[in-house]
Amino acid sequence: DGITDANCKDLILLYEPNDDLKASYCLGIDGFTNLLTSKHADIIKFSHQQKFQDMTQPLCHYYIFSSHNSYLVGHQLIGESSVDAYIDHMQKGVRSVELDCWDGDDGEPVIYHGHTLTSQISFESVIKAIAEYAFVTSCYPVILSIENHCSIEQQRKMAKYFVEILGDKLYNEPIDLSRSDCPSPEDLKYKVLVKGKKLKDEAITEMEISDDDEDDLKLSDVAKEKLKEKRNGKKPKLAVELSRVVNLIQSTHFKNFAEVKKKWKYYNMCSLAESKADGLVKDSASEMVEMNKSHIVKIYPSGFRISSSNYDPQTFWNVGCQMVTMNLQSPGSDTDIYYGRFSVNGDTGYYLKPEFLCNKNTSFDPRKKSKSTVKPIELIVKVISGQQIPKPDKDSKGEIIDPYVKIEIHGVPDDRTGKSTKTISNNGFNPKWGQTLKFRITNSELALIRFSVYDSDAISSDDFIGQNTIPVPSIGEGYRHIFLTSENREKLFPASLFVHITIKKLVG
């Protein structure tokens, strides 16, 4: 981070407890220990722990912290829906949440996973919670992704609540047709944007809308059949009042890349199921990259993921997709990677994509050798020791663990790899590995690194203990501590790894 003599003196004054040593700008053993376990020696560069990225680029130039079925706290078919889930997301800095809206029996719209046994919560209570908590962690815009299954009457109620409850927070400006790019996160600070369908002609008070996009496609087959019976062959309709609160992020059906290039404006975006998006990545990665330079694309998990499992978000980040939505309530390595992406930049909920995924004058395909200006690096990690590594949650085994460290690189296909240290027997208090692991990374700007600790078991599968995942560009060099979190995202402090990091730039 470019430490100067003045910085060193400031650190001594901050971490040295002995006044005599402070006066002579000396660091004793206690002060040195305090420094090594502080935020200044965290695995994330100190400068990257605050907002460090340019927030004035178009909205489509950022990865956006996004949740799927944001109201659920568990299973997709029988789980509980909760207003608290939205509050939790806002407090974590999530910037895009989903509102799955259905007609309530009492004339009030509700949110739940339609035609399932999940519980229902009132639409009004959710909007009130978002209005109160939207900007407690991040001042940057919140996107409400509306999946609309409501009647015209209850859509009008939804629009009323948006306007009355959100007030000045609701972005309600008319589209600026003179623009070629979407406003930036900086332009949209403290604003709530509504993503949904928009009428082409408001002279028509209500209009039939397409039913072939995310609103219906993410439903289970049973739910689709029930919805079809309810509509009795009629297409869903959109109320003009609800249409009016949709501006900068207009849901548009994706047909092909040629139509996007020819007809779409900066405010047109699309939502793609993971299977559709995965096919496009495999067959048309460079075209996906080009679309994502100008338009927001949302990816959502398959309806078959009824247990709320997740996909690998890196696949879609590699082609520049912005709103890669996840079941954030579900533990797992994919969720760890997702949280890791947004663990830097001051909890803004936005992460600026690499220049080659934004610049319209460059081309990129993650499956091919990069022609970008990014140079390969060698990442050298010396895993020195661990401190106070706890037993696994499932501690049915003996009292003492046998820990080892696994390090994984997640990025473009050529960079994905993993290596492990040796196992230290019967020592979770202060295991010492003293082992160096080296990684060649061809595209470090897209890569994340995941440090995880396991308890080795000769009889059954090894038990996961904790992990920490961060973007490779945010790794601090030198001696660093890596503090661990559990699979449920609970901090395991003081459990940590002590490492030394070296980054070498390579040629070609």
Side-chain angles (χ1 to χ4, degrees):
D1 281 353
I3 297 293
T4 64
D5 287 346
N7 295 144
C8 291
K9 290 180 178 180
D10 288 341
L11 290 173
I12 291 170
L13 294 176
L14 185 60
Y15 294 114
E16 176 53 55
N18 184 290
D19 290 336
D20 292 335
L21 290 174
K22 268 186 187 180
S24 55
Y25 292 111
C26 292
L27 202 60
I29 186 64
D30 291 334
F32 186 56
T33 302
N34 290 341
L35 173 61
L36 284 180
T37 55
S38 75
K39 58 187 177 181
H40 285 92
D42 188 86
I43 187 62
I44 299 175
K45 294 177 185 177
F46 182 69
S47 60
H48 285 208
Q49 295 170 31
Q50 293 83 40
K51 177 172 69 71
F52 73 97
Q53 294 185 322
D54 175 14
M55 303 300 287
T56 65
Q57 296 192 31
L59 203 62
C60 58
H61 286 189
Y62 298 83
Y63 300 125
I64 303 172
F65 199 176
S66 306
S67 72
H68 173 64
N69 286 355
S70 311
Y71 45 89
L72 287 179
V73 292
H75 198 279
Q76 298 286 315
L77 301 183
I78 57 176
E80 179 187 354
S81 303
S82 172
V83 175
D84 288 341
Y86 287 97
I87 295 173
D88 182 60
H89 287 333
M90 295 296 105
Q91 291 175 330
K92 287 177 178 174
V94 174
R95 296 293 83 188
S96 176
V97 294
E98 293 181 352
L99 285 73
D100 215 341
C101 306
W102 297 80
D103 280 352
D105 294 335
D106 58 356
E108 290 289 328
V110 296
I111 292 175
Y112 82 114
H113 202 182
H115 300 298
T116 67
L117 297 178
T118 56
S119 58
Q120 301 180 4
I121 51 178
S122 81
F123 179 87
E124 181 184 12
S125 65
V126 169
I127 302 304
K128 285 181 177 178
I130 290 170
E132 181 175 354
Y133 290 94
F135 305 109
V136 294
T137 298
S138 170
C139 63
Y140 291 100
V142 169
I143 300 169
L144 305 183
S145 186
I146 304 301
E147 286 146 34
N148 176 18
H149 306 281
C150 290
S151 62
I152 291 294
E153 291 75 19
Q154 295 201 25
Q155 287 181 46
R156 288 177 179 142
K157 283 272 185 78
M158 291 165 58
K160 177 174 179 286
Y161 293 140
F162 278 134
V163 173
E164 292 182 356
I165 296 172
L166 294 175
D168 292 341
K169 295 185 182 77
L170 179 65
Y171 184 86
N172 218 1
E173 301 293 324
I175 289 294
D176 184 352
L177 297 176
S178 66
R179 296 187 68 111
S180 58
D181 286 312
C182 194
S184 70
E186 193 69 28
D187 295 330
L188 299 168
K189 284 169 72 171
Y190 298 108
K191 290 296 181 183
V192 176
L193 312 179
V194 178
K195 180 195 86 69
K197 300 186 182 76
K198 191 167 184 69
L199 296 173
K200 294 180 181 178
D201 185 359
E202 285 197 1
I204 304 172
T205 56
E206 51 186 67
M207 177 181 175
E208 288 189 350
I209 54 176
S210 168
D211 61 356
D212 57 359
D213 64 1
E214 179 188 8
D215 287 0
D216 290 348
L217 287 179
K218 65 178 285 189
L219 299 176
S220 67
D221 291 339
V222 174
K224 287 177 189 175
E225 283 302 313
K226 289 183 178 179
L227 191 58
K228 189 175 179 182
E229 291 173 14
K230 183 178 177 181
R231 289 173 177 167
N232 195 24
K234 297 177 181 177
K235 283 191 174 182
K237 293 183 178 181
L238 177 62
V240 64
E241 293 87 349
L242 189 56
S243 171
R244 283 175 181 163
V245 301
V246 175
N247 295 290
L248 288 177
I249 308 180
Q250 299 181 19
S251 298
T252 309
H253 177 59
F254 173 79
K255 293 182 180 177
N256 53 61
F257 294 111
E259 183 186 66
V260 170
K261 191 172 183 179
K262 184 176 180 181
K263 295 183 178 181
W264 282 23
K265 306 298 183 185
Y266 69 87
Y267 47 79
N268 294 119
M269 65 83 63
C270 66
S271 298
L272 302 172
E274 66 169 288
S275 55
K276 171 75 171 176
D278 195 52
L280 290 173
V281 171
K282 289 177 180 175
D283 299 334
S284 310
S286 58
E287 287 90 340
M288 278 282 280
V289 170
E290 290 307 306
M291 177 170 70
N292 291 328
K293 290 177 181 179
S294 303
H295 304 282
I296 290 176
V297 172
K298 175 183 175 181
I299 312 297
Y300 58 93
S302 164
F304 293 109
R305 293 185 180 274
I306 59 174
S307 64
S308 297
S309 62
N310 282 308
Y311 46 61
D312 179 3
Q314 191 68 45
T315 299
F316 306 112
W317 284 334
N318 284 344
V319 293
C321 296
Q322 300 86 353
M323 293 167 60
V324 180
T325 68
M326 301 280 281
N327 291 302
L328 295 179
Q329 76 275 25
S330 301
S333 60
D334 295 325
T335 312
D336 295 337
I337 294 164
Y338 197 80
Y339 275 100
R341 171 67 67 192
F342 299 101
S343 64
V344 298
N345 203 31
D347 291 326
T348 60
Y350 286 83
Y351 187 98
L352 183 63
K353 297 191 293 185
E355 191 269 345
F356 54 83
L357 291 178
C358 301
N359 189 337
K360 296 176 183 178
N361 296 317
T362 62
S363 60
F364 179 73
D365 188 328
R367 304 164 304 176
K368 299 177 182 178
K369 186 174 181 180
S370 175
K371 296 179 181 178
S372 70
T373 56
V374 182
K375 300 300 181 185
I377 64 168
E378 183 180 38
L379 177 63
I380 304 170
V381 182
K382 183 176 183 181
V383 183
I384 301 170
S385 62
Q387 293 79 42
Q388 301 186 56
I389 308 298
K391 291 188 293 183
D393 285 340
K394 326 170 205 178
D395 56 356
S396 57
K397 299 191 300 179
E399 290 295 318
I400 305 176
I401 64 170
D402 305 320
Y404 68 90
V405 179
K406 183 177 182 181
I407 301 177
E408 303 161 79
I409 304 297
H410 298 264
V412 297
D414 283 349
D415 289 340
R416 297 190 180 196
T417 188
K419 297 180 181 180
S420 299
T421 66
K422 60 190 176 184
T423 297
I424 302 297
S425 299
N426 299 324
N427 189 351
F429 182 69
N430 60 350
K432 298 178 180 65
W433 289 280
Q435 194 168 347
T436 299
L437 304 177
K438 298 180 179 182
F439 303 87
R440 187 182 191 278
I441 304 174
T442 62
N443 195 319
S444 59
E445 290 192 20
L446 278 172
L448 292 101
I449 184 168
R450 181 174 184 257
F451 300 88
S452 51
V453 180
Y454 290 83
D455 179 16
S456 180
D457 192 320
I459 301 174
S460 61
S461 59
D462 297 344
D463 288 324
F464 173 81
I465 295 174
Q467 65 84 39
N468 194 326
T469 304
I470 66 166
V472 167
S474 293
I475 294 177
E477 292 193 75
Y479 290 100
R480 300 279 170 168
H481 266 95
I482 302 169
F483 289 96
L484 303 177
T485 59
S486 71
E487 65 176 1
N488 294 315
R489 312 229 42 86
E490 296 173 351
K491 292 182 179 180
L492 297 176
F493 185 84
S496 63
L497 300 174
F498 186 45
V499 301
H500 184 275
I501 304 290
T502 305
I503 298 174
K504 293 182 178 179
K505 292 183 180 179
L506 303 176
V507 179

